[in-house]
Amino acid sequence: MMDVSSFFLISSGTKTQKLSLCGYLEAIIGKYFLAQSGNPDAYWYAIYYDASIDGYDECVEVTDKNLMGYVYCDDRVAFVLNSFLERFINDTFDYNICYVGVDSLDEECLECRKYSDYSEHILPALWIEDDFLNNEKIPFDYEKFELIDEGVKYLNPKHFSVRNFVEYCRL
């Protein structure tokens, strides 16, 4: 498990660049599309990449097969599939990004050990350790279950996926 707590202690990487990461990847490098870039309400931009694009008159299709990761809105951290990580690092070497390689965007490979400090660095989150739902050895927590049953959106600080994290931040 990788702990996301420390990633957001890193300062923003956009201060020294003349061209936004989105502009650089889409206009200069090509073959990229950053969904939600420029949206002031978006915390994460989905990074799509298609090596088969030939020329500037084609667009990267927004599909799961082209989704290679997510970059935080101020470019401080990017979660990138390991199969694309080297390419993304090479294409963005001038940007001060903390690269986090993952094997899957859906695998629960992240945790947040210092979740009580988390809101200071990104946004407030509701953290509920819900492991009692699937493990009979953990005492059942009726208060937490009531929140879960009401449909309250939350993250389990002990394990969550990149996609869960990004989707939660979009709420």
Side-chain angles (χ1 to χ4, degrees):
M1 291 282 179
M2 287 182 278
D3 185 9
V4 298
S5 305
S6 62
F7 298 147
F8 296 97
L9 298 173
I10 301 165
S11 63
S12 168
T14 59
K15 296 176 186 170
T16 60
Q17 299 305 318
K18 294 180 182 178
L19 188 59
S20 72
L21 180 65
C22 174
Y24 179 73
L25 289 173
E26 291 181 12
I28 306 300
I29 300 292
K31 303 182 185 210
Y32 282 95
F33 173 67
L34 270 65
Q36 294 293 318
S37 181
N39 179 348
D41 295 327
Y43 287 99
W44 291 94
Y45 306 148
I47 308 165
Y48 294 92
Y49 178 80
D50 187 349
S52 68
I53 298 285
D54 187 29
Y56 291 100
D57 58 342
E58 292 183 72
C59 296
V60 176
E61 190 176 355
V62 178
T63 63
D64 279 344
K65 73 175 182 124
N66 291 337
L67 180 63
M68 65 179 286
Y70 298 92
V71 64
Y72 192 64
C73 60
D74 66 6
D75 305 337
R76 79 174 78 180
V77 65
F79 293 103
V80 180
L81 290 171
N82 284 325
S83 57
F84 292 100
L85 187 58
E86 185 177 347
R87 168 170 294 288
F88 190 70
I89 290 171
N90 289 336
D91 288 344
T92 60
F93 68 90
D94 285 337
Y95 292 79
N96 187 25
I97 299 173
C98 173
Y99 303 97
V100 182
V102 294
D103 290 329
S104 166
L105 299 173
D106 295 312
E107 178 186 324
E108 291 186 342
C109 61
L110 303 176
E111 67 181 340
C112 189
R113 290 187 204 125
K114 298 179 183 178
Y115 60 89
S116 61
D117 297 335
Y118 175 79
S119 63
E120 295 175 19
H121 306 295
I122 182 169
L123 76 156
L126 177 59
W127 299 97
I128 297 177
E129 293 182 30
D130 66 359
D131 295 335
F132 66 91
L133 294 171
N134 300 315
N135 188 337
E136 295 174 6
K137 295 178 182 177
I138 299 173
F140 195 85
D141 189 322
Y142 290 95
E143 290 178 22
K144 290 178 183 175
F145 179 75
E146 187 175 331
L147 290 171
I148 295 166
D149 194 42
E150 290 173 5
V152 172
K153 300 297 182 197
Y154 69 94
L155 289 171
N156 184 328
K158 292 185 175 181
H159 50 83
F160 51 94
S161 71
V162 172
R163 195 179 306 262
N164 293 144
F165 186 56
V166 168
E167 287 175 358
Y168 181 87
C169 293
R170 287 182 177 158
L171 298 175

Short mmCIF file of all heavy atoms in Angstrom, two decimals, residues 92-137:
data_model
loop_
_atom_site.label_atom_id
_atom_site.label_comp_id
_atom_site.label_asym_id
_atom_site.label_seq_id
_atom_site.Cartn_x
_atom_site.Cartn_y
_atom_site.Cartn_z
N THR A 92 7.16 14.74 -19.62
CA THR A 92 6.89 15.84 -18.68
C THR A 92 8.08 16.17 -17.79
O THR A 92 7.90 16.75 -16.72
CB THR A 92 5.68 15.48 -17.80
OG1 THR A 92 5.97 14.29 -17.07
CG2 THR A 92 4.41 15.31 -18.61
N PHE A 93 9.28 15.84 -18.23
CA PHE A 93 10.45 16.00 -17.37
C PHE A 93 10.70 17.43 -16.92
O PHE A 93 11.31 17.67 -15.88
CB PHE A 93 11.72 15.41 -18.03
CG PHE A 93 12.19 16.17 -19.23
CD1 PHE A 93 13.10 17.21 -19.11
CD2 PHE A 93 11.73 15.83 -20.50
CE1 PHE A 93 13.54 17.91 -20.23
CE2 PHE A 93 12.16 16.52 -21.61
CZ PHE A 93 13.06 17.57 -21.48
N ASP A 94 10.22 18.43 -17.64
CA ASP A 94 10.40 19.83 -17.24
C ASP A 94 9.43 20.28 -16.15
O ASP A 94 9.56 21.38 -15.63
CB ASP A 94 10.22 20.76 -18.46
CG ASP A 94 11.42 20.71 -19.39
OD1 ASP A 94 12.52 20.36 -18.94
OD2 ASP A 94 11.24 21.04 -20.58
N TYR A 95 8.48 19.45 -15.83
CA TYR A 95 7.47 19.79 -14.83
C TYR A 95 7.82 19.11 -13.51
O TYR A 95 8.28 17.98 -13.49
CB TYR A 95 6.07 19.38 -15.31
CG TYR A 95 5.61 20.22 -16.47
CD1 TYR A 95 6.08 19.95 -17.76
CD2 TYR A 95 4.76 21.29 -16.29
CE1 TYR A 95 5.69 20.74 -18.84
CE2 TYR A 95 4.35 22.08 -17.36
CZ TYR A 95 4.83 21.79 -18.63
OH TYR A 95 4.46 22.58 -19.69
N ASN A 96 7.61 19.81 -12.43
CA ASN A 96 7.96 19.30 -11.11
C ASN A 96 6.80 18.46 -10.57
O ASN A 96 6.04 18.89 -9.72
CB ASN A 96 8.24 20.48 -10.18
CG ASN A 96 8.76 20.03 -8.84
OD1 ASN A 96 9.33 18.95 -8.71
ND2 ASN A 96 8.55 20.84 -7.82
N ILE A 97 6.67 17.24 -11.09
CA ILE A 97 5.57 16.35 -10.74
C ILE A 97 6.10 15.20 -9.90
O ILE A 97 7.15 14.63 -10.19
CB ILE A 97 4.90 15.78 -12.01
CG1 ILE A 97 4.32 16.91 -12.87
CG2 ILE A 97 3.82 14.77 -11.65
CD1 ILE A 97 3.80 16.45 -14.22
N CYS A 98 5.37 14.84 -8.86
CA CYS A 98 5.66 13.63 -8.11
C CYS A 98 4.91 12.50 -8.82
O CYS A 98 3.69 12.49 -8.84
CB CYS A 98 5.16 13.77 -6.66
SG CYS A 98 5.29 12.25 -5.72
N TYR A 99 5.64 11.60 -9.44
CA TYR A 99 5.06 10.51 -10.21
C TYR A 99 4.82 9.30 -9.30
O TYR A 99 5.72 8.87 -8.59
CB TYR A 99 5.98 10.09 -11.35
CG TYR A 99 6.34 11.21 -12.27
CD1 TYR A 99 7.54 11.91 -12.13
CD2 TYR A 99 5.50 11.59 -13.30
CE1 TYR A 99 7.88 12.93 -13.00
CE2 TYR A 99 5.82 12.62 -14.18
CZ TYR A 99 7.02 13.29 -14.01
OH TYR A 99 7.34 14.31 -14.85
N VAL A 100 3.61 8.77 -9.38
CA VAL A 100 3.27 7.58 -8.60
C VAL A 100 2.81 6.52 -9.59
O VAL A 100 1.74 6.65 -10.20
CB VAL A 100 2.16 7.87 -7.58
CG1 VAL A 100 1.86 6.63 -6.76
CG2 VAL A 100 2.53 9.05 -6.68
N GLY A 101 3.63 5.51 -9.76
CA GLY A 101 3.29 4.43 -10.68
C GLY A 101 2.42 3.40 -9.99
O GLY A 101 2.68 3.02 -8.85
N VAL A 102 1.37 2.99 -10.68
CA VAL A 102 0.46 1.96 -10.16
C VAL A 102 0.21 0.92 -11.25
O VAL A 102 0.27 1.23 -12.43
CB VAL A 102 -0.89 2.56 -9.68
CG1 VAL A 102 -0.68 3.47 -8.47
CG2 VAL A 102 -1.59 3.32 -10.78
N ASP A 103 -0.06 -0.31 -10.83
CA ASP A 103 -0.35 -1.37 -11.80
C ASP A 103 -1.76 -1.28 -12.33
O ASP A 103 -2.05 -1.73 -13.44
CB ASP A 103 -0.13 -2.74 -11.16
CG ASP A 103 1.35 -3.02 -10.90
OD1 ASP A 103 2.20 -2.52 -11.67
OD2 ASP A 103 1.65 -3.73 -9.92
N SER A 104 -2.65 -0.72 -11.54
CA SER A 104 -4.06 -0.63 -11.92
C SER A 104 -4.68 0.61 -11.28
O SER A 104 -4.33 0.96 -10.14
CB SER A 104 -4.80 -1.87 -11.44
OG SER A 104 -6.19 -1.69 -11.51
N LEU A 105 -5.59 1.24 -11.98
CA LEU A 105 -6.31 2.37 -11.42
C LEU A 105 -7.47 1.91 -10.54
O LEU A 105 -8.02 2.70 -9.78
CB LEU A 105 -6.83 3.28 -12.55
CG LEU A 105 -5.75 3.89 -13.44
CD1 LEU A 105 -6.38 4.63 -14.61
CD2 LEU A 105 -4.84 4.82 -12.64
N ASP A 106 -7.81 0.62 -10.64
CA ASP A 106 -8.93 0.07 -9.89
C ASP A 106 -8.53 -0.80 -8.70
O ASP A 106 -9.37 -1.14 -7.87
CB ASP A 106 -9.83 -0.74 -10.82
CG ASP A 106 -10.48 0.14 -11.88
OD1 ASP A 106 -11.02 1.20 -11.51
OD2 ASP A 106 -10.42 -0.22 -13.07
N GLU A 107 -7.27 -1.17 -8.62
CA GLU A 107 -6.79 -1.99 -7.52
C GLU A 107 -6.64 -1.13 -6.27
O GLU A 107 -6.13 -0.02 -6.33
CB GLU A 107 -5.43 -2.60 -7.88
CG GLU A 107 -4.80 -3.44 -6.82
CD GLU A 107 -3.40 -3.88 -7.21
OE1 GLU A 107 -3.18 -4.15 -8.40
OE2 GLU A 107 -2.54 -3.95 -6.32
N GLU A 108 -7.07 -1.64 -5.13
CA GLU A 108 -6.95 -0.90 -3.88
C GLU A 108 -5.51 -0.96 -3.39
O GLU A 108 -5.13 -1.84 -2.61
CB GLU A 108 -7.92 -1.45 -2.84
CG GLU A 108 -9.36 -1.17 -3.19
CD GLU A 108 -10.34 -1.58 -2.10
OE1 GLU A 108 -9.98 -2.39 -1.21
OE2 GLU A 108 -11.48 -1.11 -2.16
N CYS A 109 -4.70 -0.02 -3.86
CA CYS A 109 -3.28 -0.01 -3.54
C CYS A 109 -2.86 1.22 -2.75
O CYS A 109 -1.69 1.43 -2.49
CB CYS A 109 -2.47 -0.11 -4.83
SG CYS A 109 -2.73 1.26 -5.97
N LEU A 110 -3.84 2.06 -2.37
CA LEU A 110 -3.55 3.29 -1.65
C LEU A 110 -4.13 3.26 -0.25
O LEU A 110 -5.11 2.56 0.01
CB LEU A 110 -4.14 4.49 -2.40
CG LEU A 110 -3.71 4.70 -3.84
CD1 LEU A 110 -4.47 5.86 -4.45
CD2 LEU A 110 -2.22 4.92 -3.95
N GLU A 111 -3.52 4.02 0.62
CA GLU A 111 -4.02 4.22 1.97
C GLU A 111 -3.70 5.65 2.40
O GLU A 111 -2.92 6.34 1.74
CB GLU A 111 -3.41 3.21 2.94
CG GLU A 111 -1.92 3.39 3.17
CD GLU A 111 -1.33 2.36 4.12
OE1 GLU A 111 -2.09 1.73 4.89
OE2 GLU A 111 -0.11 2.18 4.09
N CYS A 112 -4.29 6.08 3.49
CA CYS A 112 -4.02 7.41 4.02
C CYS A 112 -3.84 7.27 5.53
O CYS A 112 -4.81 7.28 6.29
CB CYS A 112 -5.17 8.37 3.68
SG CYS A 112 -4.79 10.10 4.06
N ARG A 113 -2.59 7.11 5.95
CA ARG A 113 -2.29 6.87 7.36
C ARG A 113 -2.56 8.09 8.22
O ARG A 113 -2.94 7.97 9.37
CB ARG A 113 -0.84 6.43 7.53
CG ARG A 113 -0.58 5.06 6.99
CD ARG A 113 0.81 4.56 7.31
NE ARG A 113 1.17 3.56 6.34
CZ ARG A 113 2.24 3.61 5.59
NH1 ARG A 113 3.10 4.59 5.71
NH2 ARG A 113 2.48 2.66 4.70
N LYS A 114 -2.32 9.27 7.68
CA LYS A 114 -2.51 10.50 8.45
C LYS A 114 -3.76 11.23 7.99
O LYS A 114 -3.75 12.41 7.70
CB LYS A 114 -1.29 11.40 8.28
CG LYS A 114 -0.01 10.79 8.81
CD LYS A 114 1.16 11.71 8.59
CE LYS A 114 2.44 11.06 9.06
NZ LYS A 114 3.59 11.91 8.83
N TYR A 115 -4.87 10.50 7.94
CA TYR A 115 -6.08 11.10 7.38
C TYR A 115 -6.63 12.23 8.23
O TYR A 115 -7.36 13.06 7.73
CB TYR A 115 -7.15 10.05 7.07
CG TYR A 115 -7.64 9.22 8.22
CD1 TYR A 115 -8.70 9.65 8.99
CD2 TYR A 115 -7.06 7.99 8.50
CE1 TYR A 115 -9.18 8.88 10.03
CE2 TYR A 115 -7.54 7.22 9.53
CZ TYR A 115 -8.59 7.66 10.30
OH TYR A 115 -9.05 6.90 11.32
N SER A 116 -6.25 12.31 9.48
CA SER A 116 -6.72 13.45 10.30
C SER A 116 -6.08 14.76 9.82
O SER A 116 -6.65 15.83 10.00
CB SER A 116 -6.43 13.21 11.77
OG SER A 116 -5.04 13.08 11.99
N ASP A 117 -4.90 14.69 9.19
CA ASP A 117 -4.22 15.87 8.66
C ASP A 117 -4.54 16.12 7.19
O ASP A 117 -4.15 17.13 6.64
CB ASP A 117 -2.70 15.71 8.77
CG ASP A 117 -2.23 15.60 10.21
OD1 ASP A 117 -2.94 16.10 11.09
OD2 ASP A 117 -1.17 15.00 10.44
N TYR A 118 -5.20 15.19 6.57
CA TYR A 118 -5.43 15.21 5.13
C TYR A 118 -6.10 16.49 4.65
O TYR A 118 -5.71 17.07 3.67
CB TYR A 118 -6.26 13.99 4.75
CG TYR A 118 -6.69 13.92 3.32
CD1 TYR A 118 -5.82 13.50 2.34
CD2 TYR A 118 -7.98 14.27 2.94
CE1 TYR A 118 -6.21 13.41 1.03
CE2 TYR A 118 -8.37 14.19 1.62
CZ TYR A 118 -7.49 13.76 0.67
OH TYR A 118 -7.87 13.69 -0.62
N SER A 119 -7.11 16.96 5.37
CA SER A 119 -7.87 18.12 4.91
C SER A 119 -7.03 19.38 4.84
O SER A 119 -7.36 20.31 4.12
CB SER A 119 -9.09 18.35 5.79
OG SER A 119 -8.69 18.65 7.12
N GLU A 120 -5.92 19.43 5.56
CA GLU A 120 -5.05 20.59 5.48
C GLU A 120 -4.34 20.68 4.14
O GLU A 120 -3.89 21.73 3.74
CB GLU A 120 -3.98 20.53 6.58
CG GLU A 120 -4.52 20.61 7.98
CD GLU A 120 -3.43 20.43 9.01
OE1 GLU A 120 -2.24 20.60 8.66
OE2 GLU A 120 -3.75 20.10 10.14
N HIS A 121 -4.22 19.57 3.44
CA HIS A 121 -3.40 19.52 2.25
C HIS A 121 -4.16 19.38 0.94
O HIS A 121 -3.60 19.59 -0.11
CB HIS A 121 -2.38 18.38 2.37
CG HIS A 121 -1.59 18.47 3.62
ND1 HIS A 121 -0.72 19.51 3.88
CD2 HIS A 121 -1.57 17.69 4.72
CE1 HIS A 121 -0.18 19.35 5.06
NE2 HIS A 121 -0.68 18.26 5.59
N ILE A 122 -5.41 19.01 1.00
CA ILE A 122 -6.14 18.86 -0.27
C ILE A 122 -7.59 19.28 -0.11
O ILE A 122 -7.97 20.34 -0.55
CB ILE A 122 -5.98 17.44 -0.86
CG1 ILE A 122 -6.70 17.35 -2.19
CG2 ILE A 122 -6.38 16.35 0.06
CD1 ILE A 122 -6.40 16.09 -2.96
N LEU A 123 -8.43 18.49 0.50
CA LEU A 123 -9.82 18.86 0.74
C LEU A 123 -10.37 17.98 1.84
O LEU A 123 -9.86 16.89 2.08
CB LEU A 123 -10.68 18.72 -0.52
CG LEU A 123 -11.07 17.32 -0.95
CD1 LEU A 123 -12.32 17.42 -1.79
CD2 LEU A 123 -10.00 16.66 -1.75
N PRO A 124 -11.38 18.45 2.53
CA PRO A 124 -11.94 17.61 3.60
C PRO A 124 -12.50 16.30 3.02
O PRO A 124 -13.06 16.29 1.94
CB PRO A 124 -13.08 18.47 4.16
CG PRO A 124 -12.79 19.86 3.71
CD PRO A 124 -12.03 19.74 2.42
N ALA A 125 -12.29 15.24 3.74
CA ALA A 125 -12.80 13.94 3.31
C ALA A 125 -13.41 13.23 4.50
O ALA A 125 -13.01 13.44 5.64
CB ALA A 125 -11.66 13.09 2.73
N LEU A 126 -14.39 12.40 4.23
CA LEU A 126 -14.98 11.57 5.27
C LEU A 126 -14.30 10.21 5.16
O LEU A 126 -14.39 9.53 4.13
CB LEU A 126 -16.49 11.43 5.07
CG LEU A 126 -17.20 10.52 6.07
CD1 LEU A 126 -17.00 11.00 7.51
CD2 LEU A 126 -18.67 10.42 5.75
N TRP A 127 -13.61 9.83 6.22
CA TRP A 127 -12.89 8.57 6.25
C TRP A 127 -13.63 7.62 7.17
O TRP A 127 -13.87 7.94 8.34
CB TRP A 127 -11.47 8.78 6.77
CG TRP A 127 -10.66 9.71 5.92
CD1 TRP A 127 -10.46 11.04 6.12
CD2 TRP A 127 -9.98 9.38 4.72
NE1 TRP A 127 -9.68 11.55 5.12
CE2 TRP A 127 -9.36 10.56 4.25
CE3 TRP A 127 -9.81 8.21 4.00
CZ2 TRP A 127 -8.59 10.59 3.08
CZ3 TRP A 127 -9.04 8.24 2.84
CH2 TRP A 127 -8.44 9.42 2.40
N ILE A 128 -14.01 6.48 6.68
CA ILE A 128 -14.69 5.47 7.49
C ILE A 128 -13.99 4.13 7.26
O ILE A 128 -13.92 3.65 6.13
CB ILE A 128 -16.19 5.32 7.10
CG1 ILE A 128 -16.94 6.63 7.37
CG2 ILE A 128 -16.82 4.17 7.87
CD1 ILE A 128 -18.41 6.58 6.94
N GLU A 129 -13.48 3.56 8.34
CA GLU A 129 -12.90 2.22 8.27
C GLU A 129 -14.07 1.24 8.26
O GLU A 129 -14.67 0.97 9.29
CB GLU A 129 -11.97 1.98 9.45
CG GLU A 129 -10.73 2.85 9.40
CD GLU A 129 -9.77 2.56 10.55
OE1 GLU A 129 -9.73 1.41 11.04
OE2 GLU A 129 -9.08 3.50 10.96
N ASP A 130 -14.39 0.72 7.08
CA ASP A 130 -15.57 -0.13 6.92
C ASP A 130 -15.24 -1.62 6.87
O ASP A 130 -16.07 -2.43 6.48
CB ASP A 130 -16.36 0.27 5.68
CG ASP A 130 -15.60 0.03 4.39
OD1 ASP A 130 -14.45 -0.44 4.43
OD2 ASP A 130 -16.16 0.32 3.32
N ASP A 131 -14.05 -1.99 7.29
CA ASP A 131 -13.64 -3.40 7.21
C ASP A 131 -14.52 -4.31 8.07
O ASP A 131 -14.58 -5.51 7.83
CB ASP A 131 -12.17 -3.55 7.60
CG ASP A 131 -11.24 -2.85 6.62
OD1 ASP A 131 -11.65 -2.68 5.45
OD2 ASP A 131 -10.13 -2.48 7.01
N PHE A 132 -15.22 -3.74 9.05
CA PHE A 132 -16.10 -4.54 9.88
C PHE A 132 -17.26 -5.15 9.08
O PHE A 132 -17.87 -6.12 9.52
CB PHE A 132 -16.67 -3.69 11.05
CG PHE A 132 -17.59 -2.59 10.61
CD1 PHE A 132 -18.97 -2.81 10.50
CD2 PHE A 132 -17.09 -1.33 10.31
CE1 PHE A 132 -19.82 -1.80 10.10
CE2 PHE A 132 -17.94 -0.31 9.91
CZ PHE A 132 -19.31 -0.54 9.80
N LEU A 133 -17.53 -4.60 7.90
CA LEU A 133 -18.61 -5.13 7.06
C LEU A 133 -18.29 -6.52 6.50
O LEU A 133 -19.19 -7.32 6.24
CB LEU A 133 -18.91 -4.17 5.90
CG LEU A 133 -19.48 -2.81 6.26
CD1 LEU A 133 -19.52 -1.91 5.04
CD2 LEU A 133 -20.87 -2.96 6.87
N ASN A 134 -17.01 -6.77 6.29
CA ASN A 134 -16.58 -8.03 5.64
C ASN A 134 -15.72 -8.92 6.51
O ASN A 134 -15.22 -9.94 6.04
CB ASN A 134 -15.83 -7.71 4.35
CG ASN A 134 -16.67 -6.93 3.37
OD1 ASN A 134 -17.83 -7.27 3.14
ND2 ASN A 134 -16.11 -5.88 2.80
N ASN A 135 -15.52 -8.52 7.75
CA ASN A 135 -14.65 -9.30 8.63
C ASN A 135 -15.37 -9.49 9.97
O ASN A 135 -15.52 -8.55 10.74
CB ASN A 135 -13.32 -8.58 8.82
CG ASN A 135 -12.30 -9.40 9.56
OD1 ASN A 135 -12.64 -10.32 10.31
ND2 ASN A 135 -11.04 -9.05 9.38
N GLU A 136 -15.77 -10.71 10.23
CA GLU A 136 -16.53 -11.02 11.45
C GLU A 136 -15.69 -10.85 12.71
O GLU A 136 -16.24 -10.76 13.81
CB GLU A 136 -17.07 -12.44 11.37
CG GLU A 136 -18.10 -12.62 10.29
CD GLU A 136 -18.54 -14.07 10.13
OE1 GLU A 136 -18.13 -14.92 10.94
OE2 GLU A 136 -19.29 -14.34 9.19
N LYS A 137 -14.37 -10.80 12.57
CA LYS A 137 -13.50 -10.66 13.73
C LYS A 137 -13.42 -9.22 14.24
O LYS A 137 -12.97 -8.98 15.35
CB LYS A 137 -12.10 -11.17 13.39
CG LYS A 137 -12.07 -12.65 13.10
CD LYS A 137 -10.69 -13.12 12.73
CE LYS A 137 -10.76 -14.61 12.40
NZ LYS A 137 -9.46 -15.12 11.95
#
